[in-house]
Amino acid sequence: MKDDKRREEQLRAFQLKLGYEFKNAELLTEALTHSSYANENNAAYNERLEFLGDAVLELVTSARLFAAYPGFSEGELTRLRARLVCKNSLSDWASDNGLKPLIRLGKSIKSPTDSMAADCVEAVFGAVFSDGGYEAARGVISRFLDTKGEAAAPVMEKDPKTELQELLQGEGKTAPVYKLIERRGPEHASSFKVALSAEGGLAAEAWGPSIKEAEFKAAKAALEKLRRS
């Protein structure tokens, strides 16, 4: 009885940190239940909510980064999103917000792994979406992203093509020229090689999964050459 009351208090404290109070408390319970506990107690567990939460997390994060980094290519946005929502990032948030002690585990598991904790975070996001809809989930996930510096206070960087062009034009030179020189792979998974040339003998080459990405990489390589010289 005492343990039940203590857990209720912990759940209330967690919801305060989450910034969302569940109308259907069973959804939160399900989100915090690992399959090992469910198998021993014939209970619902969190894998379906995790599936849903993963999708909502990706959407909210993608929209935020798309707005925050207008100069970033698809590849750069994808890599940044992956860092923000990786297993370690989610597990750290679970620790900081008191989620880990709330995870219901089977008797053979002493404590949740980082992977289990990350899965529970995604399941909680899915539970919020199920309980309160997209705007509620967006609010909770936004607060999670606020704890990640790259999403909370992004550095508004110029893309490398723009930076290189402005640098050259500032020296009275013409804009660099990009030329596709090679393509490899099937239609659905091609790689592209782009060559960059500019006044003063500046040249660089780079591969990318798209022509645009290859151009960005070539511009970055050219910028590095200029900085070294």
Side-chain angles (χ1 to χ4, degrees):
M1 195 74 174
K2 186 181 292 185
D3 287 344
D4 289 343
K5 186 175 181 181
R6 182 168 179 269
R7 182 173 176 83
E8 286 180 13
E9 291 173 352
Q10 290 176 320
L11 287 171
R12 280 197 295 270
F14 174 68
Q15 288 176 85
L16 285 173
K17 290 183 178 180
L18 193 65
Y20 182 80
E21 184 176 356
F22 281 84
K23 295 183 285 292
N24 180 359
E26 290 301 313
L27 282 169
L28 178 57
T29 298
E30 182 178 334
L32 296 171
T33 302
H34 186 256
S35 58
S36 60
Y37 180 96
N39 292 335
E40 294 176 3
N41 296 275
N42 192 29
Y45 57 99
N46 62 13
E47 287 184 2
R48 282 173 53 84
L49 288 172
E50 176 199 339
F51 165 80
L52 180 61
D54 176 64
V56 180
L57 174 61
E58 184 168 310
L59 174 58
V60 174
T61 305
S62 297
R64 178 138 168 185
L65 295 179
F66 182 83
Y69 291 92
F72 273 28
S73 67
E74 176 195 4
E76 289 170 318
L77 290 170
T78 299
R79 288 189 291 273
L80 179 53
R81 183 182 64 197
R83 289 202 301 272
L84 292 173
V85 302
C86 69
K87 176 186 70 177
N88 290 339
S89 175
L90 293 169
S91 179
D92 287 346
W93 185 86
S95 296
D96 293 342
N97 288 274
L99 183 148
K100 285 187 175 181
L102 295 173
I103 300 174
R104 301 199 298 177
L105 300 167
K107 294 177 181 177
S108 63
I109 303 175
K110 292 184 179 180
S111 60
T113 64
D114 287 344
S115 182
M116 289 176 186
D119 291 345
C120 276
V121 173
E122 291 182 337
V124 167
F125 294 159
V128 173
F129 179 86
S130 294
D131 192 64
Y134 176 74
E135 284 304 315
R138 186 175 68 83
V140 168
I141 293 170
S142 292
R143 284 186 283 278
F144 157 74
L145 292 172
D146 285 343
T147 68
K148 311 298 175 182
E150 290 166 299
V155 177
M156 302 305 290
E157 300 179 8
K158 294 177 182 176
D159 68 78
K161 288 181 67 177
T162 300
E163 186 177 353
L164 179 61
Q165 181 170 325
E166 290 180 354
L167 182 61
L168 292 174
Q169 289 179 337
E171 296 176 353
K173 298 175 181 177
T174 58
V177 175
Y178 299 87
K179 183 179 180 181
L180 176 64
I181 58 174
E182 192 174 346
R183 175 177 176 172
R184 292 179 185 172
E187 189 71 30
H188 66 282
S190 296
S191 294
F192 303 86
K193 187 177 184 180
V194 165
L196 174 155
S197 59
E199 285 185 57
L202 180 64
E205 295 180 353
W207 284 92
S210 68
I211 295 174
K212 184 176 180 181
E213 183 76 5
E215 289 177 347
F216 275 110
K217 289 181 177 180
K220 280 185 177 179
L223 283 167
E224 288 172 4
K225 286 185 177 181
L226 286 175
R227 287 165 183 152
R228 286 198 299 268
S229 63

